[in-house]
Amino acid sequence: MPTSDIGLEKTLAALGVTEAAQVVARFAEVRAQFDGQFQTVHDESEWKIFRDAWLGRKSGVLTLVTDNWLKPAMPELKRVVGQQLNELRAHVESQIEARRLAVESGAEEAALTRDRIDLSLPGVLRPIGSHHLIRQVFQKIEDIFFSIGFSVVEGPEIETPYYNFEALNIPEFHPVRDDMDTFYLELPKGATTPLLLRTHTSPMQIRTMEKQKPPVRVIVPGKVYRRDNPDATHSFAFHQIEGLAVDTDITFCDFTGTIEYFVKQFFGPSVKTRFRPSYFPFTEPSVEFDVSCPFCAGTGTAASGGTCSKCKGAAWIELFGAGMVDPAVYGHVNYDAKKVSGFAFGIGIDRLAMLKYGIDDIQVFFQNDVRFLRQFP
Ligand code: DAH
């Protein structure tokens, strides 16, 4: 800071100051210089340099004035020099302190402005996902069965042949195994039980009855696996919901009533239902359950007048397999086949979702194309 040109290095005598008025004039110059520099101090680091230049012990302006002007002053000027110096010191100290406060609060204000959170700004919008359509259909079906007293259980996707086949009355060389010839796992050396990816959710019938005495009323949602080549209606992984109800007095009427209730809840009250005889090793009698085609209102004729493309003119669509639990199954779970009866069903979820939402290719469920997924928010 430029302070040398006011003669601080010299004594007053060397500067030719011999009268009180000259002393006052010199001090006025120093003060003017102080006031000028004072204007240029805006932040903390400038303030520190400024403070040291004026108040520094060794070579601050006030020290120089004391050492060079006051101490060697002629006796007749000493009083006025001392007085002037005191005034100057008071001015310098009070101004520097005032500047410190101003600089500090200014810095705070600047920091505050920088960090201020503007609560009126809109927040960051993160896209919210939704459940996959298959999950949504699972939930719809679960809700319907919850409302009539069923509960949900889940089971392992890796099964033993015993649960997947034998306990369901499918012995080793039974022809229905051909349909389900499937994915066996490579086993560690020495393992004795083969393992496979379950081909249906039916093994959970056995696992549930092993754990629980009647009455049983459960549904089992889950993934199943088969050695199917992918096409518009086949996939090597798909989804089922198994159902099982066993008690001492369950009749074929309870069975049909329950299934009909479910289908009307799911597709709407106007659909018609029908059974056709079928075959499953673990049910007797077994049925295939059909629903009147929801696309052509069970007429077989499309709105355009041509054949309905969904039911191919049949007016009915095959929905799923079901039946009364075969007594042979009870033998595997220590239920008394003479005392209990029940029904079971196995619903293909992908197929049901395709029917309900008019989807004509099962592969879209597995491709994760958001253009498809977004249609079912
Ligand atoms: N598990 C059979 C399948 O995947 C479906 C099925 C049919 C399940 C009849 C049942 C049933 O519980 O009673 O092909």
Side-chain angles (χ1 to χ4, degrees):
M1 296 213 167
T3 44
S4 53
D5 55 342
I6 36 178
L8 293 175
E9 314 296 330
K10 296 180 180 160
T11 62
L12 288 175
L15 291 168
V17 174
T18 51
E19 286 170 17
Q22 288 174 302
V23 172
V24 173
R26 284 276 164 184
F27 274 93
E29 244 175 78
V30 177
R31 186 175 173 139
Q33 195 153 81
F34 174 85
D35 290 342
Q37 286 179 14
F38 182 83
Q39 303 301 326
T40 66
V41 174
H42 298 298
D43 62 26
E44 207 178 316
S45 70
E46 284 172 355
W47 177 83
K48 276 187 180 152
I49 294 169
F50 183 60
R51 176 201 58 191
D52 294 345
W54 286 86
L55 296 174
R57 264 186 203 203
K58 268 198 182 150
S59 51
V61 173
L62 292 186
T63 303
L64 293 181
V65 172
T66 309
D67 290 350
N68 300 338
W69 287 6
L70 178 67
K71 285 181 184 166
M74 290 175 289
E76 60 272 28
L77 288 182
K78 223 167 193 149
R79 219 176 124 248
V80 64
V81 175
Q83 219 174 34
Q84 288 293 308
L85 178 57
N86 283 344
E87 270 173 33
L88 178 66
R89 183 183 300 281
H91 178 69
V92 165
E93 283 177 349
S94 71
Q95 289 299 302
I96 282 186
E97 176 60 10
R99 204 58 179 173
R100 184 182 68 81
L101 293 174
V103 163
E104 258 176 22
S105 71
E108 257 164 44
E109 226 163 76
L112 274 180
T113 326
R114 213 180 319 119
D115 301 341
R116 185 173 298 144
I117 298 169
D118 184 348
L119 296 174
S120 69
L121 281 175
V124 178
L125 284 182
R126 300 190 196 285
I128 294 177
S130 59
H131 282 142
H132 191 282
L133 183 59
I134 293 291
R135 170 67 41 205
Q136 293 181 31
V137 172
F138 267 144
Q139 283 172 351
K140 267 200 178 76
I141 297 174
E142 287 169 12
D143 283 347
I144 296 169
F145 281 103
F146 282 155
S147 74
I148 48 173
F150 281 70
S151 47
V152 171
V153 292
E154 288 187 39
E157 287 175 27
I158 294 175
E159 268 297 5
T160 62
Y162 174 76
Y163 286 106
N164 199 76
F165 298 125
E166 276 109 62
L168 287 163
N169 206 24
I170 311 174
E172 189 163 359
F173 296 105
H174 197 291
V176 302
R177 283 213 193 186
D178 292 352
D179 280 349
M180 301 203 183
D181 200 8
T182 180
F183 302 112
Y184 282 83
L185 275 67
E186 252 176 47
L187 297 174
K189 267 209 181 88
T192 47
T193 326
L195 292 172
L196 72 157
L197 295 181
R198 67 179 174 195
T199 61
H200 49 179
T201 42
S202 305
M204 276 307 287
Q205 291 190 29
I206 307 300
R207 290 185 179 277
T208 307
M209 288 190 283
E210 271 181 350
K211 275 209 201 119
Q212 192 182 326
K213 291 281 148 227
V216 169
R217 249 183 256 113
V218 292
I219 52 170
V220 189
K223 283 204 224 41
V224 301
Y225 304 86
R226 285 190 204 172
R227 194 178 45 84
D228 280 337
N229 288 321
D231 64 19
T233 53
H234 293 86
S235 163
F236 48 79
F238 57 103
H239 305 83
Q240 289 188 334
I241 283 192
E242 192 77 12
L244 176 70
V246 181
D247 206 343
T248 48
D249 53 1
I250 289 190
T251 65
F252 199 83
C253 275
D254 296 319
F255 170 44
T256 55
T258 305
I259 302 272
E260 257 184 55
Y261 172 77
F262 159 66
V263 172
K264 292 199 174 194
Q265 290 289 311
F266 190 79
F267 283 107
S270 57
V271 292
K272 290 201 259 339
T273 55
R274 77 173 184 192
F275 291 106
R276 281 177 298 111
S278 184
Y279 174 76
F280 299 99
F282 39 91
T283 46
E284 180 61 34
S286 303
V287 302
E288 228 23 273
F289 194 80
D290 294 350
V291 64
S292 59
C293 178
F295 301 99
C296 60
T299 60
T301 309
S304 61
T307 308
C308 172
S309 65
K310 305 290 181 186
C311 64
K312 315 251 165 6
W316 294 94
I317 287 183
E318 186 182 311
L319 269 193
F320 55 86
M324 299 302 287
V325 177
D326 192 308
V329 172
Y330 296 131
H332 289 282
V333 294
N334 279 330
Y335 276 18
D336 185 345
K338 291 205 185 71
K339 289 202 181 123
V340 296
S341 56
F343 60 84
F345 52 88
I347 306 174
I349 299 305
D350 311 74
R351 185 175 156 69
L352 221 64
M354 288 165 76
L355 278 175
K356 186 164 167 88
Y357 296 99
I359 296 161
D360 50 18
D361 185 356
I362 193 175
Q363 301 303 327
V364 294
F365 290 137
F366 306 101
Q367 286 162 348
N368 284 336
D369 185 334
V370 287
R371 289 169 303 177
F372 167 72
L373 299 174
R374 282 205 183 115
Q375 293 174 52
F376 306 97

